[in-house]
Amino acid sequence: MSFTVGMYLAERLARIGLKHHFAVAGDYNLALLDQLLTNSAMRQVYCCNELNCGFAAEGYARANGAAAAVVTFSVGAISALNAIGGAYAENLPVILISGAPNSNDHGTGHVLHHTTGGTEYSYQIEMARRLTCAAESITDAASAPAKIDHVIRTALRESKPAYLEIACNLATAACVRPGPGSALFSSPEPDETSLRAALDATLDWLKPRERVVLLVGSRLRAARSAEAAIALADRLGCAVTVMAAAKGDFPEQHPGFRGVYWGEAGDPGARELVETADGVICLAPVFNDYATVGWTAWPKGKTVLLADPDGVTVGGMAFGGFGLGRFLAELAERAPPRPATARETGFSPSRIAPAAPDAPLTNDEMCRQIGALLTPDTTLTAETGTAWFDVMGMALPNGARLELEMQWGHIGWSVPAAFGNAMGAPERRQVLLVGDGAFQLTAQEVAQMVRYACPVIVFLVNNRGYVIESAIHDGPYNTIKNWDYAGLLDVFNAGEGHGLGLRAATGAELEVAIAAALANRKGPTLIECAIAHTDCARSLVTWGRHVAAANARPPQPR
Ligand code: TPU
């Protein structure tokens, strides 16, 4: 059998560790899908629509390090681009691969289906360029290997999504085979002079400071620097706080751990620690409006050292050209101990007292029971909405992972993302916490959890509407049509699956439902939790007030 462009792509995707790729079929990608199927190292996994396909790949990349989604031209790819924007915001290397018009139709004046009706087809790659770190169009076999390698290598190096479109007649075109070696993983040599200068400047900055705090941000994981951050925390012996979007990215049983820094919405004491420290070492933070609680909690100025994935700013100077992991590892060898902040303070995770078993289910009781489910091998995915605030109060055992999408914040992300994560990490306990409003966007992907027998435990918070939006700005647009959420599982099983739909309106019912979910290993279990519309974490209300104030700032006079 001769080797083809599609086979080349498959071999390269398998080479970077993909055991699955996600797909929705369409006539521009059918021949490509056939070619990908010839590679026995990778399984093709199907999604209900392309938005979900993109998010499933995003979730898979969280579990597996990288992912691929294969879709058809325009009608498919433009839906998937929303999820690719999410992967960009969340720093995940997802390769979006779109089938494209036959190479003989480019520049010939032919009008094709699934296009905007003109005769020029570059609009899709132009859109993709704004949302990816590399984008290539394959219309000849000779340049395909270089383009494929460029796209994959850049995505891995930058931890960002990339885009590839392949003319539908090119997937089966004859192509050279990839050679051995690790060309896809190469990265530039660090600038040693700059690194030395950054380390010296950091040590000078640290010298007079006693009350030092580490603040862990959400890009630490993508920068593959979590271990180096722990080594630095061990060396300094100081207090460590995490930003909300980075909860779970630093072990909560570490002796220095002092909770979530999220302004007035964070853990008690964390704000005071960060804002009274004389040295705050910020590790790969993202200070957006949500993270800073409407710009009210934003460490800045001379007391702050910014250690970003691609450089360090300290003492009025910026240093670049080296990776964060290397910088932190070397700093961990040379930094002086700074234990004052850890000695002065303590941290005890909030404890929720059990509710009366037959009392109507409250948000607190639901959180207490979900918190008790978390094991070191749990991956907890929390949707945009009140779920963010719910999981902030849960103590994570070391090893447990928390998946959040706080930068992109697309409601509905979590259902396909948890599906993708479950495909990438089937050995972990997969738990999903999602609101009713968010669920309505992407609910059909639960059907794929049934199809692929993923035992995800879905806690569906039926609080009858958009509670997070009500906290920011209330109005009639925050109410939604109620659904029979638990009943959907029968619809998705259609007589041939093992999904389980349950309802809990009291603590006792929730306990019984969780026991049934743990016993159901052959498919998802969705537990619809009936919670009053006004019942949510207090931190959400505080946070919502500040975000609303930031949104409502009048235009500045020019
Ligand atoms: O628990 P709760 O009620 O906060 O969660 P639920 O029911 O999932 O409601 C979420 C409400 C929400 C909206 C409508 N949160 N953010 N938004 C705005 C929004 C709209 N469309 C997309 C795709 N993403 C968004 N974040």
Side-chain angles (χ1 to χ4, degrees):
M1 193 170 57
S2 65
F3 208 71
T4 66
V5 170
M7 288 175 180
Y8 187 99
L9 174 63
E11 209 165 300
R12 293 318 244 169
L13 294 177
R15 177 74 184 83
I16 62 165
L18 304 201
K19 295 184 183 63
H20 305 83
H21 54 272
F22 296 85
V24 179
D27 61 356
Y28 287 109
N29 72 13
L30 298 178
L32 174 62
L33 293 176
D34 288 341
Q35 295 299 304
L36 296 176
L37 282 171
T38 64
N39 191 308
S40 59
M42 257 192 317
R43 189 172 169 204
Q44 207 159 77
V45 176
Y46 307 109
C47 295
C48 295
N49 64 51
E50 287 82 356
L51 173 67
N52 292 358
C53 187
F55 282 140
E58 196 259 29
Y60 188 85
R62 289 169 183 263
N64 191 59
V70 188
V71 297
T72 195
F73 197 64
S74 290
V75 290
I78 292 176
S79 289
L81 281 175
N82 189 328
I84 293 302
Y88 199 99
E90 302 291 326
N91 304 295
L92 291 157
V94 176
I95 321 283
L96 176 65
I97 301 153
S98 174
N102 185 297
S103 61
N104 300 303
D105 290 324
H106 290 256
T108 52
H110 292 175
V111 178
L112 294 169
H113 70 287
H114 291 347
T115 72
T116 50
T119 56
E120 205 276 320
Y121 307 122
S122 64
Y123 60 90
Q124 185 168 299
I125 195 168
E126 283 167 24
M127 293 165 81
R129 280 205 176 100
R130 299 299 302 267
L131 299 170
T132 58
C133 64
E136 294 287 356
S137 174
I138 295 180
T139 51
D140 72 280
S143 64
K147 287 177 175 171
I148 291 170
D149 282 13
H150 166 66
V151 156
I152 295 176
R153 184 187 305 115
T154 312
L156 293 184
R157 187 185 289 164
E158 299 195 12
S159 223
K160 294 283 186 194
Y163 171 82
L164 198 59
E165 64 183 32
I166 304 183
C168 59
N169 57 332
L170 259 292
T172 50
C175 181
V176 296
R177 294 184 83 110
S182 52
L184 297 176
F185 303 102
S186 68
S187 52
E189 288 295 309
D191 180 337
E192 298 290 340
T193 311
S194 176
L195 175 61
R196 299 281 133 232
L199 285 163
D200 290 345
T202 300
L203 293 170
D204 283 350
W205 175 87
L206 263 174
K207 200 177 285 169
R209 299 169 201 274
E210 285 298 330
R211 301 196 61 261
V212 172
V213 174
L214 282 182
L215 178 61
V216 174
S218 58
R219 289 182 299 159
L220 187 73
R221 207 164 116 182
R224 297 176 198 94
S225 304
E227 291 301 317
I230 296 169
L232 180 60
D234 290 343
R235 171 79 176 210
L236 290 167
C238 66
V240 182
T241 55
V242 299
M243 295 180 68
K247 183 174 161 78
D249 295 348
F250 187 87
E252 299 196 352
Q253 272 78 51
H254 190 279
F257 183 70
R258 294 293 180 274
V260 177
Y261 170 74
W262 202 9
E264 268 186 68
D267 277 317
R271 181 174 198 185
E272 200 189 350
L273 248 177
V274 170
E275 294 179 5
T276 64
D278 60 9
V280 184
I281 302 178
C282 300
L283 305 182
V286 177
F287 292 120
N288 69 13
D289 52 345
Y290 279 12
T292 61
V293 193
W295 315 117
T296 63
W298 187 357
K300 279 196 269 197
K302 289 203 170 81
T303 55
V304 169
L305 179 151
L306 263 184
D308 281 321
D310 47 7
V312 171
T313 307
V314 58
M317 286 186 88
F319 305 87
F322 49 84
L324 180 59
R326 174 88 192 278
F327 171 77
L328 295 181
E330 298 225 2
L331 189 57
E333 303 268 303
R334 293 174 57 189
R338 287 290 182 268
T341 50
R343 279 200 195 127
E344 286 164 17
T345 59
F347 177 71
S348 43
S350 56
R351 297 217 184 284
I352 303 170
D358 294 325
L361 187 61
T362 60
N363 200 64
D364 271 359
E365 175 61 12
M366 180 190 72
C367 290
R368 186 187 72 79
Q369 292 199 30
I370 297 173
L373 250 187
L374 307 179
T375 54
D377 69 348
T378 297
T379 297
L380 171 62
T381 300
E383 179 62 88
T384 297
T386 63
W388 282 350
F389 300 84
D390 291 343
V391 297
M392 288 304 135
M394 293 180 194
L396 299 176
N398 285 353
R401 293 180 82 156
L402 176 61
E403 301 295 358
L404 300 158
E405 197 221 25
M406 279 199 172
Q407 177 60 35
W408 194 241
H410 185 303
I411 57 168
W413 153 83
S414 68
V415 180
F419 166 56
N421 206 307
M423 292 304 295
E427 70 290 355
R428 294 181 71 82
R429 175 179 286 180
Q430 296 283 346
V431 178
L432 165 60
L433 181 57
V434 57
D436 47 357
F439 186 77
Q440 291 195 1
L441 273 80
T442 52
Q444 66 276 68
E445 226 51 28
V446 173
Q448 305 298 358
M449 298 178 189
V450 173
R451 178 182 191 175
Y452 293 98
C454 304
V456 181
I457 306 178
V458 182
F459 291 91
L460 182 297
V461 184
N462 188 350
N463 56 15
R464 303 295 176 107
Y466 297 157
V467 170
I468 190 172
E469 293 290 281
S470 300
I472 296 174
H473 186 127
D474 207 7
Y477 31 75
N478 292 330
T479 55
I480 60 174
K481 168 76 181 78
N482 191 36
W483 289 6
D484 176 2
Y485 299 99
L488 281 177
L489 271 290
D490 278 343
V491 175
F492 293 148
N493 284 334
E496 57 185 16
H498 296 92
L500 190 60
L502 303 167
R503 271 182 210 90
T506 64
E509 287 174 9
L510 185 56
E511 256 176 44
V512 171
I514 288 174
L518 289 172
N520 179 22
R521 303 296 306 154
K522 289 189 181 163
T525 302
L526 184 149
I527 306 174
E528 181 179 340
C529 301
I531 305 284
H533 183 68
T534 49
D535 183 8
C536 63
R538 266 217 323 278
S539 52
L540 166 61
V541 180
T542 311
W543 174 89
R545 187 164 34 84
H546 286 296
V547 170
N551 284 348
R553 283 165 303 159
Q556 295 287 314
R558 286 178 203 270

